[in-house]
Amino acid sequence: MRLISGTGNLPLAQAIAGHLDMTLTEAAIRRFADGEIFVEILENVRGKDVFVLQPTSCPANDNLMELLILMDALRRGSARRITAVLPYFGYARQDRKTSPRTPISAKLVANLITAAGASRVLTVDLHAAQIQGFFDIPVDNLYALPVFDRHIRDRYPGLEGVTVVSPDIGGVARARALAKRLDNADLAIIDKRRDGPGRNEVMHVIGTVRDRHCLMVDDMVDSGGTLVKAAAALRESGACSVSAYASHGVFSPPASRNIESSVIENLVVTDSIKASPEIAACSKIERLSLAPLLAEAVRSIHDEQSLSALFDSFPHGAL
């Protein structure tokens, strides 16, 4: 087995390698003056089972091209199998035609990854589960909920007074799954709508949140606008505290400023995307590592073992 990383999230790759008690395969990755990417694998990979870790986060196009070129270099180096490990799958929000003559970019990216030589894809919390069907190769879509589970239990012993909240209607299934993991905790939903064309959004809280510790859960945080408004609505409805959990911290500006000035007490994200200095300095943002989860998945794939335990009952103590 070999583990190789692009430049998208080297700290996470190093952490995964540490959990597997191995070192990253050496590769030279550099850019020419015009921005072209050049890759050279510096170790023999002939006949090896290679895992390429590279999230396609900002800068999305550069990181995607780096991933594709890495896999092409490995394929031409006669690697036996190439698994693309994408802690964050970019372009996932473009999973359908939203108007005439628009692309389905998530499908295009899936085709590119397959054409570049990937035999399998390992990812975390796809924005839409149906994206798995865009690939003609096996896809393992892990969930960050087991990582959040232990953090919540440590912070709220006995889960006293906890209510899980979906910040929009589309995230109800994810919120319900977390509530079920948390011993069937109470569930609430934010219904976001506009009073009329061009008017401000109004947040309606569905469910009982008064005097409850509200935990919003989402798959990603971009600018943070939706979470901030939802948190304000929860506090206005009587919630005693509001925290948030999101699998991917995209954090487009001015996300850190929005979060810092909001009523959200704590925003927990994974390290699927490398944090910028601005995000790392934000006092309200906490990061949990996906390294143990991804390391176990990599080991299981290499050993041809089932990943079911990672989906259903990843042990609390292992994280």
Side-chain angles (χ1 to χ4, degrees):
M1 177 170 60
R2 295 288 186 269
L3 180 65
I4 190 169
S5 176
T7 60
N9 196 341
L10 189 57
L12 176 57
Q14 291 170 333
I16 294 171
H19 280 279
L20 294 171
D21 196 25
M22 58 188 295
T23 57
L24 294 175
T25 297
E26 289 190 47
I29 303 174
R30 58 181 184 269
R31 284 163 171 76
F32 294 116
D34 63 353
E36 286 186 13
I37 298 169
F38 174 79
V39 168
E40 182 180 5
I41 311 300
L42 301 178
E43 298 181 29
N44 179 27
V45 294
R46 183 179 296 274
K48 304 299 183 183
D49 187 10
V50 185
F51 294 81
V52 185
L53 188 133
Q54 175 80 338
T56 51
S57 51
C58 182
N61 298 329
D62 283 357
N63 283 335
L64 175 60
M65 279 303 301
E66 196 174 293
L67 170 68
L68 299 177
I69 294 171
L70 270 167
M71 291 193 296
D72 186 71
L74 290 165
R75 182 179 60 174
R76 296 176 190 279
S78 301
R80 176 175 59 85
R81 181 173 69 175
I82 301 170
T83 300
V85 183
L86 309 174
Y88 171 74
F89 181 79
Y91 285 97
R93 285 174 281 186
Q94 299 185 51
D95 63 328
R96 62 195 183 281
K97 285 174 67 73
T98 54
S99 60
R101 297 172 298 282
T102 57
I104 304 179
S105 301
K107 170 59 176 170
L108 172 62
V109 172
N111 289 344
L112 290 171
I113 290 172
T114 304
S119 305
R120 189 180 199 98
V121 169
L122 173 63
T123 188
V124 179
D125 271 323
L126 287 170
H127 182 66
Q130 65 265 24
I131 291 174
Q132 296 173 78
F134 291 177
F135 290 88
D136 295 323
I137 55 177
V139 177
D140 294 304
N141 179 33
L142 300 179
Y143 303 109
L145 294 186
V147 182
F148 297 150
D149 184 303
R150 182 186 178 191
H151 185 273
I152 293 170
R153 291 177 185 274
D154 289 345
R155 188 174 182 188
Y156 302 96
L159 303 175
E160 188 72 28
V162 165
T163 294
V164 177
V165 181
S166 174
D168 53 44
I169 298 297
V172 172
R174 182 179 296 103
R176 186 183 294 118
L178 179 59
K180 184 178 180 180
R181 285 189 66 95
L182 299 176
D183 305 334
N184 291 312
D186 291 343
L187 181 67
I189 303 167
I190 302 292
D191 178 28
K192 180 174 65 175
R193 63 183 69 181
R194 293 183 184 274
D195 283 346
R199 297 188 183 179
N200 292 330
E201 293 175 340
V202 178
M203 302 283 186
H204 299 281
V205 179
I206 302 173
T208 302
V209 298
R210 183 169 296 278
D211 300 324
R212 307 287 293 178
H213 297 292
C214 292
L215 310 180
M216 293 188 292
V217 60
D218 210 344
D219 67 315
M220 68 174 68
V221 181
D222 195 342
S223 67
T226 297
L227 281 184
V228 167
K229 292 176 183 177
L234 291 169
R235 288 304 299 267
E236 290 172 6
S237 297
C240 59
S241 72
V242 180
S243 297
Y245 290 80
S247 304
H248 308 296
V250 178
F251 294 132
S252 302
S256 61
R257 196 160 61 246
N258 289 340
I259 299 300
E260 196 70 66
S261 61
S262 73
V263 298
I264 297 174
E265 292 187 1
N266 187 230
L267 171 57
V268 181
V269 297
T270 73
D271 59 351
S272 62
I273 298 174
K274 186 178 178 181
S276 66
E278 184 180 25
I279 295 302
C282 183
S283 63
K284 290 188 177 182
I285 297 176
E286 182 178 353
R287 286 159 53 82
L288 302 179
S289 182
L290 288 174
L293 181 66
L294 289 173
E296 286 302 316
V298 167
R299 181 182 284 114
S300 296
I301 292 171
H302 175 67
D303 293 340
E304 303 294 346
Q305 295 179 348
S306 171
L307 271 66
S308 296
L310 303 182
F311 289 96
D312 302 326
S313 57
F314 198 71
H316 306 315
L319 294 172

